[in-house]
Amino acid sequence: MGKTIAIANQKGGVGKTTTSMNLAASLAALDKKVLLIDADPQANASSGLGVDVNQVETSVYNLLLDHVDAREAIYTTDISGLDIIPSHIDLVGAEIEMLQMPNREKVMKEVLGRVKDDYDYILIDCSPSLGLITVNALTAADSVIIPVQCEYFALEGISKLLNTIKIIKSKLNPELSIEGFLLTMYDSRLRLSNQIYDEVKRHFEQMVFKTVIPRNVRLSEAPSHGLPAILYDADSLGSKSHLALAKEIVEKNTKKA
C-alpha cells in the first residue's frame, strides 16, 4: 500500500512544484515506484516532466469531474518508475463544477484509492490556494509536506494552512499528518535565510526536515528542458539536495513501518 503525500502551501512561489517534480524523480531514482498527481491548473509539474500539456486527453480534471479510472490518465516519464497524471487549464473551473457533487471533498481520495496499491509513493502537487481541489488533495493524502521559502514573510499564512489541516483532520481525514516543513530557496550567504531557518526550527522543531533546498541555477533551468534536475544535471546542488530529501523520507517511513 503506497503512501500519499500532498505538497501544499497556499502561498505562491515557495517551491511546491519544484519540490514535487524533483522529489518524485529522486524517489524513483531510489527504486521506488512513484506517481505524481499534478493538481495545479498551471500544469507546470506536467510540462516540467516532459508532458506536452496541449496534447493531454485525460487529466486530473477528468478524474475529478468525469470519475475516469485513474489508470486511463497515467502518463509515463523519462525516469523509470515515475508516472504522472497531468493537469489541464480546465482545472481552473473545476471547483465551481464540483460544488453540486455529493461528497465533493472526497472525489480524489476515491479515484486514487484504485491505484494506491500500484505505487510506493503518490505525490500531489497542490495549487497555491486552499480551495476545493487542495481540500481534495489533503483529504486523499496520508501526510503533507509544507515548503517554506527562506524569505521575508515566510511564516505568513502558515497558520492559515495549519488551521485548514486541523479542520480536515477533524472533519474529513483523521489520519492526516504533517510529513515535515521543508525549507526552500535557502542561501547560506544571506543573514535573512539563516534567520528564517532558525525561526522555523524554533517553531516546529522535529517537524522540520534536516534537508534544506538551496537556491540553485540548474534547478531553475531544468523544467524549461522538460526534465527534473536529476536528469538535467545530477551533480548540481539542487539535484543532490532533493535526493537527500528523498532518502530522509524513505528512512523516516521505513522506521514507522
Side-chain angles (χ1 to χ4, degrees), residues 171-208:
K171 296 201 164 36
L172 296 164
N173 182 6
E175 305 301 311
L176 183 64
S177 64
I178 292 174
E179 189 74 25
F181 289 84
L182 176 67
L183 286 146
T184 61
M185 304 178 196
Y186 178 75
D187 186 340
S188 58
R189 298 166 303 178
L190 298 180
R191 186 193 293 173
L192 181 62
S193 273
N194 292 303
Q195 281 173 344
I196 301 291
Y197 178 84
D198 292 342
E199 200 174 334
V200 173
K201 276 297 249 188
R202 193 172 67 248
H203 264 79
F204 302 110
E205 299 171 347
Q206 301 306 313
M207 293 162 83
V208 182

PDB file of all heavy atoms in Angstrom, residues 171-208:
ATOM      1  N   LYS A 171     -12.723  16.757  10.344  1.00  0.00           N
ATOM      2  CA  LYS A 171     -13.976  16.510   9.621  1.00  0.00           C
ATOM      3  C   LYS A 171     -13.870  15.502   8.468  1.00  0.00           C
ATOM      4  O   LYS A 171     -14.851  14.844   8.126  1.00  0.00           O
ATOM      5  CB  LYS A 171     -14.510  17.837   9.063  1.00  0.00           C
ATOM      6  CG  LYS A 171     -14.894  18.832  10.140  1.00  0.00           C
ATOM      7  CD  LYS A 171     -15.847  19.879   9.613  1.00  0.00           C
ATOM      8  CE  LYS A 171     -16.590  20.674  10.648  1.00  0.00           C
ATOM      9  NZ  LYS A 171     -15.900  21.001  11.871  1.00  0.00           N
ATOM     10  N   LEU A 172     -12.694  15.404   7.839  1.00  0.00           N
ATOM     11  CA  LEU A 172     -12.611  14.617   6.601  1.00  0.00           C
ATOM     12  C   LEU A 172     -11.556  13.513   6.603  1.00  0.00           C
ATOM     13  O   LEU A 172     -11.732  12.479   5.965  1.00  0.00           O
ATOM     14  CB  LEU A 172     -12.310  15.553   5.407  1.00  0.00           C
ATOM     15  CG  LEU A 172     -13.377  16.587   5.063  1.00  0.00           C
ATOM     16  CD1 LEU A 172     -12.794  17.669   4.163  1.00  0.00           C
ATOM     17  CD2 LEU A 172     -14.571  15.920   4.384  1.00  0.00           C
ATOM     18  N   ASN A 173     -10.426  13.765   7.266  1.00  0.00           N
ATOM     19  CA  ASN A 173      -9.315  12.822   7.165  1.00  0.00           C
ATOM     20  C   ASN A 173      -8.537  12.777   8.478  1.00  0.00           C
ATOM     21  O   ASN A 173      -7.476  13.387   8.613  1.00  0.00           O
ATOM     22  CB  ASN A 173      -8.401  13.254   5.996  1.00  0.00           C
ATOM     23  CG  ASN A 173      -7.241  12.302   5.773  1.00  0.00           C
ATOM     24  OD1 ASN A 173      -7.138  11.251   6.404  1.00  0.00           O
ATOM     25  ND2 ASN A 173      -6.344  12.667   4.863  1.00  0.00           N
ATOM     26  N   PRO A 174      -9.052  12.013   9.462  1.00  0.00           N
ATOM     27  CA  PRO A 174      -8.415  11.989  10.788  1.00  0.00           C
ATOM     28  C   PRO A 174      -6.980  11.463  10.774  1.00  0.00           C
ATOM     29  O   PRO A 174      -6.211  11.732  11.692  1.00  0.00           O
ATOM     30  CB  PRO A 174      -9.328  11.073  11.615  1.00  0.00           C
ATOM     31  CG  PRO A 174     -10.250  10.415  10.651  1.00  0.00           C
ATOM     32  CD  PRO A 174     -10.295  11.222   9.414  1.00  0.00           C
ATOM     33  N   GLU A 175      -6.604  10.738   9.714  1.00  0.00           N
ATOM     34  CA  GLU A 175      -5.253  10.152   9.638  1.00  0.00           C
ATOM     35  C   GLU A 175      -4.196  11.135   9.126  1.00  0.00           C
ATOM     36  O   GLU A 175      -3.006  10.836   9.135  1.00  0.00           O
ATOM     37  CB  GLU A 175      -5.260   8.923   8.687  1.00  0.00           C
ATOM     38  CG  GLU A 175      -6.280   7.839   9.044  1.00  0.00           C
ATOM     39  CD  GLU A 175      -6.069   7.288  10.442  1.00  0.00           C
ATOM     40  OE1 GLU A 175      -4.920   6.949  10.772  1.00  0.00           O
ATOM     41  OE2 GLU A 175      -7.053   7.233  11.214  1.00  0.00           O
ATOM     42  N   LEU A 176      -4.612  12.295   8.624  1.00  0.00           N
ATOM     43  CA  LEU A 176      -3.672  13.236   8.007  1.00  0.00           C
ATOM     44  C   LEU A 176      -2.630  13.727   9.015  1.00  0.00           C
ATOM     45  O   LEU A 176      -2.958  14.151  10.108  1.00  0.00           O
ATOM     46  CB  LEU A 176      -4.432  14.431   7.429  1.00  0.00           C
ATOM     47  CG  LEU A 176      -3.600  15.477   6.678  1.00  0.00           C
ATOM     48  CD1 LEU A 176      -2.970  14.889   5.428  1.00  0.00           C
ATOM     49  CD2 LEU A 176      -4.456  16.688   6.305  1.00  0.00           C
ATOM     50  N   SER A 177      -1.355  13.638   8.614  1.00  0.00           N
ATOM     51  CA  SER A 177      -0.283  14.135   9.494  1.00  0.00           C
ATOM     52  C   SER A 177       0.636  15.056   8.690  1.00  0.00           C
ATOM     53  O   SER A 177       0.545  15.110   7.463  1.00  0.00           O
ATOM     54  CB  SER A 177       0.526  12.957  10.053  1.00  0.00           C
ATOM     55  OG  SER A 177       1.185  12.288   8.991  1.00  0.00           O
ATOM     56  N   ILE A 178       1.505  15.762   9.388  1.00  0.00           N
ATOM     57  CA  ILE A 178       2.472  16.612   8.687  1.00  0.00           C
ATOM     58  C   ILE A 178       3.756  15.805   8.503  1.00  0.00           C
ATOM     59  O   ILE A 178       4.381  15.386   9.477  1.00  0.00           O
ATOM     60  CB  ILE A 178       2.714  17.926   9.454  1.00  0.00           C
ATOM     61  CG1 ILE A 178       1.432  18.779   9.411  1.00  0.00           C
ATOM     62  CG2 ILE A 178       3.883  18.699   8.854  1.00  0.00           C
ATOM     63  CD1 ILE A 178       1.464  20.037  10.234  1.00  0.00           C
ATOM     64  N   GLU A 179       4.117  15.576   7.254  1.00  0.00           N
ATOM     65  CA  GLU A 179       5.344  14.836   6.938  1.00  0.00           C
ATOM     66  C   GLU A 179       6.546  15.676   7.342  1.00  0.00           C
ATOM     67  O   GLU A 179       7.541  15.174   7.833  1.00  0.00           O
ATOM     68  CB  GLU A 179       5.379  14.525   5.432  1.00  0.00           C
ATOM     69  CG  GLU A 179       6.482  13.580   4.995  1.00  0.00           C
ATOM     70  CD  GLU A 179       6.216  12.128   5.388  1.00  0.00           C
ATOM     71  OE1 GLU A 179       5.057  11.719   5.564  1.00  0.00           O
ATOM     72  OE2 GLU A 179       7.213  11.391   5.521  1.00  0.00           O
ATOM     73  N   GLY A 180       6.430  16.981   7.118  1.00  0.00           N
ATOM     74  CA  GLY A 180       7.517  17.863   7.522  1.00  0.00           C
ATOM     75  C   GLY A 180       7.437  19.223   6.863  1.00  0.00           C
ATOM     76  O   GLY A 180       6.747  19.413   5.858  1.00  0.00           O
ATOM     77  N   PHE A 181       8.143  20.190   7.456  1.00  0.00           N
ATOM     78  CA  PHE A 181       8.307  21.513   6.861  1.00  0.00           C
ATOM     79  C   PHE A 181       9.627  21.486   6.095  1.00  0.00           C
ATOM     80  O   PHE A 181      10.651  21.072   6.645  1.00  0.00           O
ATOM     81  CB  PHE A 181       8.361  22.593   7.951  1.00  0.00           C
ATOM     82  CG  PHE A 181       7.036  22.822   8.620  1.00  0.00           C
ATOM     83  CD1 PHE A 181       6.616  22.014   9.676  1.00  0.00           C
ATOM     84  CD2 PHE A 181       6.190  23.828   8.186  1.00  0.00           C
ATOM     85  CE1 PHE A 181       5.391  22.209  10.290  1.00  0.00           C
ATOM     86  CE2 PHE A 181       4.954  24.038   8.795  1.00  0.00           C
ATOM     87  CZ  PHE A 181       4.557  23.228   9.843  1.00  0.00           C
ATOM     88  N   LEU A 182       9.582  21.927   4.847  1.00  0.00           N
ATOM     89  CA  LEU A 182      10.781  21.886   4.001  1.00  0.00           C
ATOM     90  C   LEU A 182      11.228  23.304   3.671  1.00  0.00           C
ATOM     91  O   LEU A 182      10.489  24.075   3.058  1.00  0.00           O
ATOM     92  CB  LEU A 182      10.461  21.130   2.698  1.00  0.00           C
ATOM     93  CG  LEU A 182      11.588  21.089   1.660  1.00  0.00           C
ATOM     94  CD1 LEU A 182      12.768  20.255   2.161  1.00  0.00           C
ATOM     95  CD2 LEU A 182      11.074  20.549   0.335  1.00  0.00           C
ATOM     96  N   LEU A 183      12.437  23.650   4.087  1.00  0.00           N
ATOM     97  CA  LEU A 183      12.956  24.982   3.787  1.00  0.00           C
ATOM     98  C   LEU A 183      13.522  25.007   2.374  1.00  0.00           C
ATOM     99  O   LEU A 183      14.361  24.178   2.007  1.00  0.00           O
ATOM    100  CB  LEU A 183      14.025  25.365   4.810  1.00  0.00           C
ATOM    101  CG  LEU A 183      13.397  25.705   6.166  1.00  0.00           C
ATOM    102  CD1 LEU A 183      14.282  25.301   7.316  1.00  0.00           C
ATOM    103  CD2 LEU A 183      13.054  27.182   6.239  1.00  0.00           C
ATOM    104  N   THR A 184      13.005  25.957   1.566  1.00  0.00           N
ATOM    105  CA  THR A 184      13.419  26.041   0.159  1.00  0.00           C
ATOM    106  C   THR A 184      14.059  27.404  -0.118  1.00  0.00           C
ATOM    107  O   THR A 184      13.919  28.335   0.673  1.00  0.00           O
ATOM    108  CB  THR A 184      12.198  25.876  -0.775  1.00  0.00           C
ATOM    109  OG1 THR A 184      11.272  26.951  -0.509  1.00  0.00           O
ATOM    110  CG2 THR A 184      11.481  24.547  -0.547  1.00  0.00           C
ATOM    111  N   MET A 185      14.746  27.477  -1.261  1.00  0.00           N
ATOM    112  CA  MET A 185      15.383  28.732  -1.712  1.00  0.00           C
ATOM    113  C   MET A 185      16.346  29.281  -0.658  1.00  0.00           C
ATOM    114  O   MET A 185      16.416  30.484  -0.413  1.00  0.00           O
ATOM    115  CB  MET A 185      14.321  29.789  -2.056  1.00  0.00           C
ATOM    116  CG  MET A 185      13.346  29.289  -3.095  1.00  0.00           C
ATOM    117  SD  MET A 185      12.073  30.491  -3.449  1.00  0.00           S
ATOM    118  CE  MET A 185      10.875  29.449  -4.268  1.00  0.00           C
ATOM    119  N   TYR A 186      17.059  28.378  -0.034  1.00  0.00           N
ATOM    120  CA  TYR A 186      17.979  28.742   1.046  1.00  0.00           C
ATOM    121  C   TYR A 186      19.306  29.246   0.465  1.00  0.00           C
ATOM    122  O   TYR A 186      19.876  28.624  -0.434  1.00  0.00           O
ATOM    123  CB  TYR A 186      18.221  27.520   1.936  1.00  0.00           C
ATOM    124  CG  TYR A 186      19.197  27.753   3.066  1.00  0.00           C
ATOM    125  CD1 TYR A 186      18.824  28.476   4.191  1.00  0.00           C
ATOM    126  CD2 TYR A 186      20.495  27.248   3.009  1.00  0.00           C
ATOM    127  CE1 TYR A 186      19.716  28.690   5.233  1.00  0.00           C
ATOM    128  CE2 TYR A 186      21.388  27.451   4.042  1.00  0.00           C
ATOM    129  CZ  TYR A 186      20.990  28.182   5.150  1.00  0.00           C
ATOM    130  OH  TYR A 186      21.883  28.393   6.178  1.00  0.00           O
ATOM    131  N   ASP A 187      19.774  30.359   0.966  1.00  0.00           N
ATOM    132  CA  ASP A 187      21.071  30.903   0.549  1.00  0.00           C
ATOM    133  C   ASP A 187      21.876  31.166   1.820  1.00  0.00           C
ATOM    134  O   ASP A 187      21.599  32.110   2.560  1.00  0.00           O
ATOM    135  CB  ASP A 187      20.862  32.198  -0.242  1.00  0.00           C
ATOM    136  CG  ASP A 187      22.176  32.734  -0.826  1.00  0.00           C
ATOM    137  OD1 ASP A 187      23.259  32.351  -0.324  1.00  0.00           O
ATOM    138  OD2 ASP A 187      22.122  33.532  -1.782  1.00  0.00           O
ATOM    139  N   SER A 188      22.856  30.321   2.067  1.00  0.00           N
ATOM    140  CA  SER A 188      23.611  30.379   3.325  1.00  0.00           C
ATOM    141  C   SER A 188      24.354  31.708   3.506  1.00  0.00           C
ATOM    142  O   SER A 188      24.733  32.073   4.605  1.00  0.00           O
ATOM    143  CB  SER A 188      24.600  29.213   3.405  1.00  0.00           C
ATOM    144  OG  SER A 188      25.468  29.263   2.295  1.00  0.00           O
ATOM    145  N   ARG A 189      24.552  32.436   2.385  1.00  0.00           N
ATOM    146  CA  ARG A 189      25.287  33.721   2.491  1.00  0.00           C
ATOM    147  C   ARG A 189      24.407  34.828   3.055  1.00  0.00           C
ATOM    148  O   ARG A 189      24.913  35.853   3.496  1.00  0.00           O
ATOM    149  CB  ARG A 189      25.795  34.139   1.104  1.00  0.00           C
ATOM    150  CG  ARG A 189      26.785  33.156   0.486  1.00  0.00           C
ATOM    151  CD  ARG A 189      26.968  33.439  -0.977  1.00  0.00           C
ATOM    152  NE  ARG A 189      25.691  33.379  -1.692  1.00  0.00           N
ATOM    153  CZ  ARG A 189      25.552  33.634  -2.989  1.00  0.00           C
ATOM    154  NH1 ARG A 189      26.596  33.976  -3.712  1.00  0.00           N
ATOM    155  NH2 ARG A 189      24.360  33.561  -3.570  1.00  0.00           N
ATOM    156  N   LEU A 190      23.088  34.624   2.984  1.00  0.00           N
ATOM    157  CA  LEU A 190      22.179  35.689   3.434  1.00  0.00           C
ATOM    158  C   LEU A 190      21.791  35.510   4.891  1.00  0.00           C
ATOM    159  O   LEU A 190      21.361  34.439   5.301  1.00  0.00           O
ATOM    160  CB  LEU A 190      20.906  35.690   2.573  1.00  0.00           C
ATOM    161  CG  LEU A 190      21.090  35.962   1.075  1.00  0.00           C
ATOM    162  CD1 LEU A 190      19.748  35.919   0.381  1.00  0.00           C
ATOM    163  CD2 LEU A 190      21.742  37.320   0.846  1.00  0.00           C
ATOM    164  N   ARG A 191      21.926  36.600   5.641  1.00  0.00           N
ATOM    165  CA  ARG A 191      21.549  36.546   7.050  1.00  0.00           C
ATOM    166  C   ARG A 191      20.061  36.198   7.185  1.00  0.00           C
ATOM    167  O   ARG A 191      19.661  35.448   8.061  1.00  0.00           O
ATOM    168  CB  ARG A 191      21.836  37.896   7.708  1.00  0.00           C
ATOM    169  CG  ARG A 191      21.608  37.847   9.227  1.00  0.00           C
ATOM    170  CD  ARG A 191      21.584  39.220   9.842  1.00  0.00           C
ATOM    171  NE  ARG A 191      22.893  39.862   9.762  1.00  0.00           N
ATOM    172  CZ  ARG A 191      23.109  41.124  10.111  1.00  0.00           C
ATOM    173  NH1 ARG A 191      22.106  41.874  10.537  1.00  0.00           N
ATOM    174  NH2 ARG A 191      24.305  41.652  10.024  1.00  0.00           N
ATOM    175  N   LEU A 192      19.241  36.757   6.268  1.00  0.00           N
ATOM    176  CA  LEU A 192      17.800  36.518   6.329  1.00  0.00           C
ATOM    177  C   LEU A 192      17.475  35.020   6.211  1.00  0.00           C
ATOM    178  O   LEU A 192      16.651  34.493   6.956  1.00  0.00           O
ATOM    179  CB  LEU A 192      17.078  37.299   5.216  1.00  0.00           C
ATOM    180  CG  LEU A 192      15.558  37.148   5.181  1.00  0.00           C
ATOM    181  CD1 LEU A 192      14.921  37.663   6.472  1.00  0.00           C
ATOM    182  CD2 LEU A 192      14.962  37.871   3.984  1.00  0.00           C
ATOM    183  N   SER A 193      18.141  34.329   5.280  1.00  0.00           N
ATOM    184  CA  SER A 193      17.915  32.890   5.115  1.00  0.00           C
ATOM    185  C   SER A 193      18.176  32.151   6.415  1.00  0.00           C
ATOM    186  O   SER A 193      17.407  31.276   6.819  1.00  0.00           O
ATOM    187  CB  SER A 193      18.841  32.320   4.031  1.00  0.00           C
ATOM    188  OG  SER A 193      18.265  32.444   2.757  1.00  0.00           O
ATOM    189  N   ASN A 194      19.260  32.510   7.067  1.00  0.00           N
ATOM    190  CA  ASN A 194      19.623  31.850   8.329  1.00  0.00           C
ATOM    191  C   ASN A 194      18.646  32.197   9.455  1.00  0.00           C
ATOM    192  O   ASN A 194      18.326  31.350  10.283  1.00  0.00           O
ATOM    193  CB  ASN A 194      21.058  32.220   8.722  1.00  0.00           C
ATOM    194  CG  ASN A 194      22.067  31.621   7.746  1.00  0.00           C
ATOM    195  OD1 ASN A 194      22.103  30.413   7.555  1.00  0.00           O
ATOM    196  ND2 ASN A 194      22.858  32.455   7.091  1.00  0.00           N
ATOM    197  N   GLN A 195      18.155  33.438   9.441  1.00  0.00           N
ATOM    198  CA  GLN A 195      17.170  33.847  10.449  1.00  0.00           C
ATOM    199  C   GLN A 195      15.865  33.060  10.280  1.00  0.00           C
ATOM    200  O   GLN A 195      15.284  32.584  11.243  1.00  0.00           O
ATOM    201  CB  GLN A 195      16.876  35.345  10.325  1.00  0.00           C
ATOM    202  CG  GLN A 195      17.954  36.223  10.956  1.00  0.00           C
ATOM    203  CD  GLN A 195      17.708  37.705  10.664  1.00  0.00           C
ATOM    204  OE1 GLN A 195      16.938  38.066   9.779  1.00  0.00           O
ATOM    205  NE2 GLN A 195      18.388  38.563  11.409  1.00  0.00           N
ATOM    206  N   ILE A 196      15.417  32.926   9.011  1.00  0.00           N
ATOM    207  CA  ILE A 196      14.168  32.188   8.734  1.00  0.00           C
ATOM    208  C   ILE A 196      14.354  30.728   9.147  1.00  0.00           C
ATOM    209  O   ILE A 196      13.482  30.129   9.779  1.00  0.00           O
ATOM    210  CB  ILE A 196      13.789  32.265   7.227  1.00  0.00           C
ATOM    211  CG1 ILE A 196      13.590  33.706   6.754  1.00  0.00           C
ATOM    212  CG2 ILE A 196      12.554  31.410   6.936  1.00  0.00           C
ATOM    213  CD1 ILE A 196      12.390  34.432   7.280  1.00  0.00           C
ATOM    214  N   TYR A 197      15.512  30.169   8.810  1.00  0.00           N
ATOM    215  CA  TYR A 197      15.806  28.777   9.162  1.00  0.00           C
ATOM    216  C   TYR A 197      15.685  28.586  10.679  1.00  0.00           C
ATOM    217  O   TYR A 197      15.016  27.671  11.155  1.00  0.00           O
ATOM    218  CB  TYR A 197      17.215  28.413   8.680  1.00  0.00           C
ATOM    219  CG  TYR A 197      17.641  27.014   9.033  1.00  0.00           C
ATOM    220  CD1 TYR A 197      17.271  25.931   8.229  1.00  0.00           C
ATOM    221  CD2 TYR A 197      18.399  26.757  10.173  1.00  0.00           C
ATOM    222  CE1 TYR A 197      17.642  24.634   8.555  1.00  0.00           C
ATOM    223  CE2 TYR A 197      18.776  25.468  10.510  1.00  0.00           C
ATOM    224  CZ  TYR A 197      18.397  24.416   9.697  1.00  0.00           C
ATOM    225  OH  TYR A 197      18.753  23.132  10.032  1.00  0.00           O
ATOM    226  N   ASP A 198      16.321  29.491  11.424  1.00  0.00           N
ATOM    227  CA  ASP A 198      16.290  29.397  12.897  1.00  0.00           C
ATOM    228  C   ASP A 198      14.865  29.542  13.444  1.00  0.00           C
ATOM    229  O   ASP A 198      14.469  28.838  14.367  1.00  0.00           O
ATOM    230  CB  ASP A 198      17.185  30.488  13.527  1.00  0.00           C
ATOM    231  CG  ASP A 198      18.669  30.232  13.243  1.00  0.00           C
ATOM    232  OD1 ASP A 198      19.006  29.081  12.882  1.00  0.00           O
ATOM    233  OD2 ASP A 198      19.469  31.182  13.337  1.00  0.00           O
ATOM    234  N   GLU A 199      14.122  30.459  12.830  1.00  0.00           N
ATOM    235  CA  GLU A 199      12.758  30.730  13.296  1.00  0.00           C
ATOM    236  C   GLU A 199      11.847  29.506  13.052  1.00  0.00           C
ATOM    237  O   GLU A 199      11.084  29.112  13.928  1.00  0.00           O
ATOM    238  CB  GLU A 199      12.206  31.945  12.527  1.00  0.00           C
ATOM    239  CG  GLU A 199      11.037  32.596  13.222  1.00  0.00           C
ATOM    240  CD  GLU A 199      10.600  33.875  12.510  1.00  0.00           C
ATOM    241  OE1 GLU A 199      11.440  34.510  11.829  1.00  0.00           O
ATOM    242  OE2 GLU A 199       9.420  34.216  12.634  1.00  0.00           O
ATOM    243  N   VAL A 200      11.954  28.923  11.859  1.00  0.00           N
ATOM    244  CA  VAL A 200      11.128  27.746  11.531  1.00  0.00           C
ATOM    245  C   VAL A 200      11.508  26.581  12.441  1.00  0.00           C
ATOM    246  O   VAL A 200      10.640  25.872  12.962  1.00  0.00           O
ATOM    247  CB  VAL A 200      11.271  27.364  10.029  1.00  0.00           C
ATOM    248  CG1 VAL A 200      10.557  26.057   9.725  1.00  0.00           C
ATOM    249  CG2 VAL A 200      10.714  28.474   9.147  1.00  0.00           C
ATOM    250  N   LYS A 201      12.812  26.407  12.666  1.00  0.00           N
ATOM    251  CA  LYS A 201      13.284  25.333  13.562  1.00  0.00           C
ATOM    252  C   LYS A 201      12.756  25.531  14.983  1.00  0.00           C
ATOM    253  O   LYS A 201      12.361  24.579  15.647  1.00  0.00           O
ATOM    254  CB  LYS A 201      14.817  25.314  13.604  1.00  0.00           C
ATOM    255  CG  LYS A 201      15.481  24.548  12.488  1.00  0.00           C
ATOM    256  CD  LYS A 201      15.164  23.087  12.483  1.00  0.00           C
ATOM    257  CE  LYS A 201      16.312  22.202  12.830  1.00  0.00           C
ATOM    258  NZ  LYS A 201      15.959  20.775  12.604  1.00  0.00           N
ATOM    259  N   ARG A 202      12.756  26.790  15.427  1.00  0.00           N
ATOM    260  CA  ARG A 202      12.294  27.086  16.784  1.00  0.00           C
ATOM    261  C   ARG A 202      10.784  26.814  16.917  1.00  0.00           C
ATOM    262  O   ARG A 202      10.324  26.269  17.903  1.00  0.00           O
ATOM    263  CB  ARG A 202      12.603  28.544  17.127  1.00  0.00           C
ATOM    264  CG  ARG A 202      12.456  28.862  18.613  1.00  0.00           C
ATOM    265  CD  ARG A 202      12.947  30.248  18.972  1.00  0.00           C
ATOM    266  NE  ARG A 202      12.124  31.301  18.397  1.00  0.00           N
ATOM    267  CZ  ARG A 202      12.550  32.123  17.433  1.00  0.00           C
ATOM    268  NH1 ARG A 202      13.771  32.022  16.951  1.00  0.00           N
ATOM    269  NH2 ARG A 202      11.757  33.055  16.943  1.00  0.00           N
ATOM    270  N   HIS A 203      10.041  27.169  15.874  1.00  0.00           N
ATOM    271  CA  HIS A 203       8.588  26.982  15.892  1.00  0.00           C
ATOM    272  C   HIS A 203       8.182  25.512  15.810  1.00  0.00           C
ATOM    273  O   HIS A 203       7.304  25.064  16.524  1.00  0.00           O
ATOM    274  CB  HIS A 203       7.958  27.686  14.674  1.00  0.00           C
ATOM    275  CG  HIS A 203       7.445  29.050  14.963  1.00  0.00           C
ATOM    276  ND1 HIS A 203       8.269  30.135  15.051  1.00  0.00           N
ATOM    277  CD2 HIS A 203       6.188  29.504  15.183  1.00  0.00           C
ATOM    278  CE1 HIS A 203       7.547  31.208  15.300  1.00  0.00           C
ATOM    279  NE2 HIS A 203       6.283  30.856  15.384  1.00  0.00           N
ATOM    280  N   PHE A 204       8.827  24.792  14.871  1.00  0.00           N
ATOM    281  CA  PHE A 204       8.315  23.461  14.515  1.00  0.00           C
ATOM    282  C   PHE A 204       9.252  22.303  14.869  1.00  0.00           C
ATOM    283  O   PHE A 204       8.918  21.138  14.643  1.00  0.00           O
ATOM    284  CB  PHE A 204       7.944  23.427  13.022  1.00  0.00           C
ATOM    285  CG  PHE A 204       6.935  24.465  12.644  1.00  0.00           C
ATOM    286  CD1 PHE A 204       7.292  25.547  11.853  1.00  0.00           C
ATOM    287  CD2 PHE A 204       5.625  24.383  13.095  1.00  0.00           C
ATOM    288  CE1 PHE A 204       6.362  26.523  11.513  1.00  0.00           C
ATOM    289  CE2 PHE A 204       4.687  25.348  12.762  1.00  0.00           C
ATOM    290  CZ  PHE A 204       5.054  26.427  11.971  1.00  0.00           C
ATOM    291  N   GLU A 205      10.426  22.630  15.394  1.00  0.00           N
ATOM    292  CA  GLU A 205      11.369  21.652  15.954  1.00  0.00           C
ATOM    293  C   GLU A 205      11.565  20.404  15.080  1.00  0.00           C
ATOM    294  O   GLU A 205      12.061  20.494  13.981  1.00  0.00           O
ATOM    295  CB  GLU A 205      10.923  21.282  17.381  1.00  0.00           C
ATOM    296  CG  GLU A 205      10.927  22.502  18.301  1.00  0.00           C
ATOM    297  CD  GLU A 205      10.302  22.234  19.655  1.00  0.00           C
ATOM    298  OE1 GLU A 205       9.650  21.196  19.817  1.00  0.00           O
ATOM    299  OE2 GLU A 205      10.463  23.083  20.545  1.00  0.00           O
ATOM    300  N   GLN A 206      11.156  19.234  15.616  1.00  0.00           N
ATOM    301  CA  GLN A 206      11.415  17.962  14.935  1.00  0.00           C
ATOM    302  C   GLN A 206      10.652  17.802  13.617  1.00  0.00           C
ATOM    303  O   GLN A 206      10.937  16.895  12.841  1.00  0.00           O
ATOM    304  CB  GLN A 206      11.047  16.780  15.854  1.00  0.00           C
ATOM    305  CG  GLN A 206      11.791  16.737  17.177  1.00  0.00           C
ATOM    306  CD  GLN A 206      13.305  16.777  16.974  1.00  0.00           C
ATOM    307  OE1 GLN A 206      13.840  16.046  16.148  1.00  0.00           O
ATOM    308  NE2 GLN A 206      13.987  17.653  17.699  1.00  0.00           N
ATOM    309  N   MET A 207       9.670  18.681  13.395  1.00  0.00           N
ATOM    310  CA  MET A 207       8.866  18.555  12.184  1.00  0.00           C
ATOM    311  C   MET A 207       9.554  19.157  10.960  1.00  0.00           C
ATOM    312  O   MET A 207       9.057  19.074   9.843  1.00  0.00           O
ATOM    313  CB  MET A 207       7.499  19.223  12.384  1.00  0.00           C
ATOM    314  CG  MET A 207       6.647  18.493  13.407  1.00  0.00           C
ATOM    315  SD  MET A 207       5.325  19.553  13.977  1.00  0.00           S
ATOM    316  CE  MET A 207       4.155  19.304  12.677  1.00  0.00           C
ATOM    317  N   VAL A 208      10.714  19.781  11.159  1.00  0.00           N
ATOM    318  CA  VAL A 208      11.440  20.388  10.039  1.00  0.00           C
ATOM    319  C   VAL A 208      12.425  19.353   9.473  1.00  0.00           C
ATOM    320  O   VAL A 208      13.174  18.731  10.209  1.00  0.00           O
ATOM    321  CB  VAL A 208      12.213  21.655  10.497  1.00  0.00           C
ATOM    322  CG1 VAL A 208      12.929  22.307   9.320  1.00  0.00           C
ATOM    323  CG2 VAL A 208      11.265  22.643  11.166  1.00  0.00           C
TER     324      VAL A 208
END
